[in-house]
Amino acid sequence: MADSSFDIVSKVERQEVDNALNQAAKEISQRYDFKNVGASISWSGEKILMEANSEERVKAILDVFQSKLVKRGISLKALDAGEPQISGKEYKIFASIQEGISQDNAKKVAKIIRDEGPKGVKAQVQGEELRVTSKSRDDLQAVQALLKGQDFDFALQFVNYR
């Protein structure tokens, strides 16, 4: 019998991020506390740019955006938001969406699977993802449960379950 496998990835659906950004922009344009403060949120290349005329307002924009991401099922671990920076009279926050598992993080996950996972489960790094294989599907489900219980500083998804 062939081995069963699944891949561990860290991907974010760009369309969902776009939808969350549009919802946040709409809420910001309609809310009374954002009137006359130059509040805006938009794409700036691959980054998300949030602007307002005070540090509190720009942090509030970030908070609105984070709540929209959560409602759309996107982990906040995928959002890498910087600190507010002053630029002239404006405060800005640049945020980026992190995708892919770095080599170091992939090695951490593989080590946890090796040390704490069921015997006979193999994990190998393949670029920005991790392939986990085993003869037993129950072992693979145990690995998924183990990883869901861990607290990583990046988002994980399980795909290609065969």
Side-chain angles (χ1 to χ4, degrees), residues 20 23-24 27 63-73:
Q23 286 177 340
E27 182 174 324
D63 193 46
V64 168
F65 182 54
Q66 287 175 334
S67 71
K68 299 299 178 192
L69 285 175
V70 169
K71 283 183 182 171
R72 303 217 58 97

Side-chain angles (χ1 to χ4, degrees), residues 106-125:
K107 287 178 185 173
K108 283 182 202 168
V109 173
K111 183 172 177 12
I112 288 172
I113 292 171
R114 236 187 355 266
D115 295 347
E116 301 175 32
K119 298 290 176 231
V121 176
K122 294 185 212 65
Q124 61 188 121
V125 179

Side-chain angles (χ1 to χ4, degrees), residues 127-143:
E128 292 191 339
E129 59 185 44
L130 198 68
R131 164 112 354 125
V132 180
T133 57
S134 173
K135 295 216 181 294
S136 164
R137 287 179 174 246
D138 292 341
D139 287 350
L140 292 180
Q141 289 175 339
V143 167

Side-chain angles (χ1 to χ4, degrees), residues 47-102:
K47 292 186 180 270
I48 298 160
L49 171 65
M50 292 161 260
E51 293 179 298
N53 65 4
S54 75
E55 191 171 348
E56 295 80 34
R57 288 295 110 214
V58 80
K59 285 182 177 177
I61 293 170
L62 177 61
D63 193 46
V64 168
F65 182 54
Q66 287 175 334
S67 71
K68 299 299 178 192
L69 285 175
V70 169
K71 283 183 182 171
R72 303 217 58 97
I74 297 171
S75 172
L76 291 181
K77 292 177 181 176
L79 180 70
D80 182 26
E83 288 299 310
Q85 304 166 341
I86 190 161
S87 170
K89 292 182 178 178
E90 295 278 307
Y91 282 85
K92 298 180 179 187
I93 293 180
F94 286 98
S96 60
I97 303 296
Q98 293 181 326
E99 291 192 303
I101 302 174
S102 71

